[in-house]
Amino acid sequence: MIKIIAAIGKNNELGKNNGLIWHLPGDLKFFKGQTMGKTVAMGRNTFNSLPKLLPNRHHIVLSDVDCFNKSTVGVTVVYNSLNFINKCLLESEKDDLFVIGGASIYKMFIDLADELYLTQIDASSDADVYFPKFDKTQFDTEILGKGEDNGISYTHVRYYNRKRCKFKV
């Protein structure tokens, strides 16, 4: 299955200056719990924004250049969009694949995703990248939990794509 995971503000804000807008330890723990042991797919900027490789996860990275500052053990680099999508589709047949960003990668996969794991943050902020708009009427939802960090409330919501998922909540 292809799953998208993201934390978004009230106006679909994702990030600014190639980084997260909000520091929410509870959400980082949620992200880790969902993606641990899975394959994660991302663009080069998202990969380079990571402080280190995400432990116990295989990374698939779309890049137009070969300029990585981290060890490439556990990383598959793909250099064009079509090959990237195909590689991700193949990986998703073996096990869950999580698309973790950035904005252009989310847009590439929004119509292919079986599930979306969105942390809906009860705040807004100045951003330079946004999560793509999608038709929420095509999804069933499940509230997975709520939290608050640094005075900011958020809700973890799982969206099931009715057209792609073989089961309903």
Side-chain angles (χ1 to χ4, degrees):
M1 289 178 72
I2 293 177
K3 300 179 177 189
I4 287 177
I5 190 164
I8 60 174
K10 286 182 177 181
N11 299 308
N12 285 3
E13 304 97 330
L14 272 174
K16 186 171 182 175
N17 299 324
N18 202 36
L20 299 175
I21 297 172
W22 298 279
H23 178 68
L24 304 172
D27 184 52
L28 294 174
K29 183 177 178 182
F30 175 79
F31 174 89
K32 181 179 180 181
Q34 296 302 317
T35 63
M36 186 61 71
K38 306 295 182 189
T39 296
V40 290
M42 70 203 82
R44 177 177 48 87
N45 287 339
T46 297
F47 179 78
N48 284 332
S49 74
L50 299 174
K52 61 181 181 176
L53 292 179
L54 299 173
N56 199 21
R57 283 159 272 200
H58 178 73
H59 302 62
I60 302 175
V61 181
L62 174 63
S63 178
D64 56 353
V65 295
D66 189 12
C67 62
F68 291 97
N69 58 8
K70 299 173 184 74
S71 167
T72 56
V73 173
V75 179
T76 300
V77 182
V78 183
Y79 294 100
N80 74 56
S81 297
L82 184 58
N83 288 346
F84 180 70
I85 291 170
N86 287 334
K87 176 69 175 163
C88 290
L89 289 171
L90 284 172
E91 288 294 320
S92 73
E93 290 177 6
K94 299 177 202 168
D95 194 6
D96 294 341
L97 174 129
F98 278 88
V99 175
I100 68 169
S104 63
I105 304 298
Y106 287 134
K107 187 173 183 181
M108 191 182 296
F109 282 92
I110 196 77
D111 293 328
L112 299 173
D114 300 292
E115 297 178 7
L116 311 177
Y117 287 73
L118 298 181
T119 299
Q120 297 177 323
I121 300 168
D122 189 24
S124 57
S125 180
D126 187 29
D128 55 19
V129 290
Y130 295 84
F131 192 80
K133 293 184 192 259
F134 65 100
D135 184 358
K136 291 183 180 180
T137 66
Q138 299 301 311
F139 292 82
D140 291 320
T141 60
E142 176 186 9
I143 304 293
L144 300 175
K146 295 178 182 259
E148 183 177 323
D149 287 320
N150 303 317
I152 299 170
S153 300
Y154 53 88
T155 304
H156 299 295
V157 182
R158 180 168 33 194
Y159 290 81
Y160 295 94
N161 187 328
R162 288 188 197 118
K163 292 180 181 179
R164 297 193 53 82
C165 283
K166 297 173 182 69
F167 57 92
K168 282 192 151 192
V169 177

